[in-house]
Amino acid sequence: MRAWRHAGFLAAIMGLVAFQGMALSTWDGGAGNSDWFAAENWDPAGVPGPGEIVVINNTSVVTLTNSTAYLSSFTIANTATLTFSNWNTTLSADQVTIGSGPGVSGAAGFYHAGCDTNGNPANTNRIYIVCSNLLLNTNGFINADNRGFRGYTNIPGLGFGGRSQTS
């Protein structure tokens, strides 16, 4: 019995040490632009790497143009937004949390950049999240309204029904 107690205590200590060893990257917008991949936008300076804990909050506006490393966790809170650009851009993390939860005014969340109308698949965008756990709080959102491929003459668009638009 005593051996099991020691084993449990040792496992808890090892878990705590492992957690403390994870790097924390917080968006501060220091580069003066919205580019995820500008090292100066992060505190500490540097684009978040594999296994890091990433936090974007306040009124931050961030644009993701390529895939992230596989993060330990990603949190977007307060009124911050993350816009996905490019079809293959992926946010990857064990845990993704969107929104701050009860008692915080304003909403945080995801958009995707508007899609081109020239019919080229390379000019499309989407919100692409790969994670083990996704927590969407009541003041969080994932919004792709009116951002998809609108279609044009003889090219279907506008979602279900494949309507076309000529202007």
Side-chain angles (χ1 to χ4, degrees):
M1 182 75 163
R2 188 170 214 185
W4 283 107
R5 258 193 243 151
H6 289 306
F9 179 73
L10 181 60
I13 294 296
M14 289 175 68
L16 184 59
V17 169
F19 179 76
Q20 289 177 342
M22 291 181 202
L24 171 65
S25 289
T26 304
W27 179 270
D28 68 9
N33 60 43
S34 66
D35 184 6
W36 175 288
F37 295 98
E40 303 82 21
N41 280 329
W42 296 98
D43 181 24
V47 178
E52 291 194 26
I53 298 168
V54 173
V55 176
I56 300 174
N57 62 37
N58 300 321
T59 59
S60 302
V61 175
V62 182
T63 302
L64 185 62
T65 56
N66 288 297
S67 296
T68 67
Y70 196 88
L71 308 169
S72 173
S73 71
F74 173 88
T75 301
I76 188 163
N78 296 323
T79 59
T81 59
L82 177 68
T83 300
F84 289 69
S85 180
N86 302 315
W87 188 254
N88 292 320
T89 296
T90 307
L91 171 66
S92 300
D94 281 331
Q95 174 74 38
V96 173
T97 303
I98 305 170
S100 305
V104 177
S105 62
F110 297 154
Y111 292 104
H112 74 74
C115 295
D116 246 339
T117 59
N118 68 6
N120 181 349
N123 294 325
T124 58
N125 301 289
R126 64 179 167 178
I127 299 169
Y128 190 2
I129 306 164
V130 175
C131 63
S132 299
N133 297 297
L134 175 67
L135 174 60
L136 180 60
N137 285 305
T138 56
N139 62 345
F141 64 86
I142 299 173
N143 185 341
D145 288 355
N146 296 312
R147 308 298 289 168
F149 179 69
R150 70 179 194 161
Y152 66 104
T153 306
N154 299 322
I155 303 291
L158 300 177
F160 185 74
R163 295 176 39 205
S164 295
Q165 182 170 326
T166 58
S167 60

